[in-house]
Amino acid sequence: MLKMRIGMETGNTIIEGIAMVYMGICAVFDIRHKEVSLLWILAGIAAASGFGIWRIALGAATVTGTGLSLLPGVFFLLMGFGTKEKVGYGDGLLLLAAGLFLGAYRCFLALCIGLAFSAATALFLLAFRKADRNSRMPFIPFLLTGMGVVIFV
């Protein structure tokens, strides 16, 4: 049992590292082009889904827990629809992948940290008149920061 648990923890560490690299690449695309390719996003969701199925098969996660991990992404997709894409659909789709990689609690925590950092950055930019209320900021770098805090701290 201990051997399987150590193997699962090592597997989780590797998967989390892959998730960080993937999200880092997406963040670079988001900063440079203000969008991430749908093909790239779907590839990440496919990989995250495979990881989620693998965790369920090993008994490390439940179907209910895995379904709950999708809620932050679904919430962001609904926000994108409700705000006429002021919140991008790509952010919601990447949150779906992040939820499968991190689990419900850790994904929600990463989202909250990312939102806090993005709010602080927006306030800083507004205070120094580098942006106005209609300016757009990429969110994926902040989500990457939140994931990094959750994984490494």
Side-chain angles (χ1 to χ4, degrees):
M1 181 70 175
L2 180 62
K3 190 174 188 180
M4 185 175 136
R5 185 171 167 196
I6 291 172
M8 186 65 188
E9 289 176 9
T10 303
N12 282 342
T13 303
I14 292 169
I15 295 296
E16 288 171 350
I18 292 169
M20 288 292 295
V21 169
Y22 167 74
M23 199 65 71
I25 293 169
C26 290
V28 169
F29 278 112
D30 198 22
I31 291 169
R32 288 192 177 176
H33 305 291
K34 302 291 188 246
E35 66 180 11
V36 180
S37 165
L38 182 61
L39 185 62
W40 188 249
I41 292 172
L42 293 177
I45 289 173
S49 298
F51 175 63
I53 292 168
W54 176 63
R55 290 190 54 183
I56 290 169
L58 288 178
T62 64
V63 174
T64 305
T66 303
L68 288 174
S69 70
L70 299 173
L71 287 180
V74 169
F75 174 70
F76 251 57
L77 288 171
L78 291 173
M79 273 183 38
F81 180 74
T83 62
K84 296 183 177 106
E85 213 171 330
K86 296 267 187 205
V87 175
Y89 292 126
D91 298 330
L93 292 172
L94 283 173
L95 267 170
L96 290 174
L100 291 170
F101 281 127
L102 298 175
Y105 174 75
R106 294 172 72 204
C107 180
F108 184 72
L109 186 58
L111 173 60
C112 289
I113 292 168
L115 287 170
F117 277 119
S118 69
T121 302
L123 287 174
F124 177 82
L125 292 173
L126 287 169
F128 289 99
R129 303 204 192 288
K130 300 290 182 184
D132 62 14
R133 62 185 296 254
N134 294 320
S135 297
R136 296 183 65 129
M137 272 189 334
F139 180 68
I140 298 170
F142 298 107
L143 181 59
L144 173 65
T145 303
M147 282 179 64
V149 169
V150 167
I151 290 173
F152 295 114
V153 174

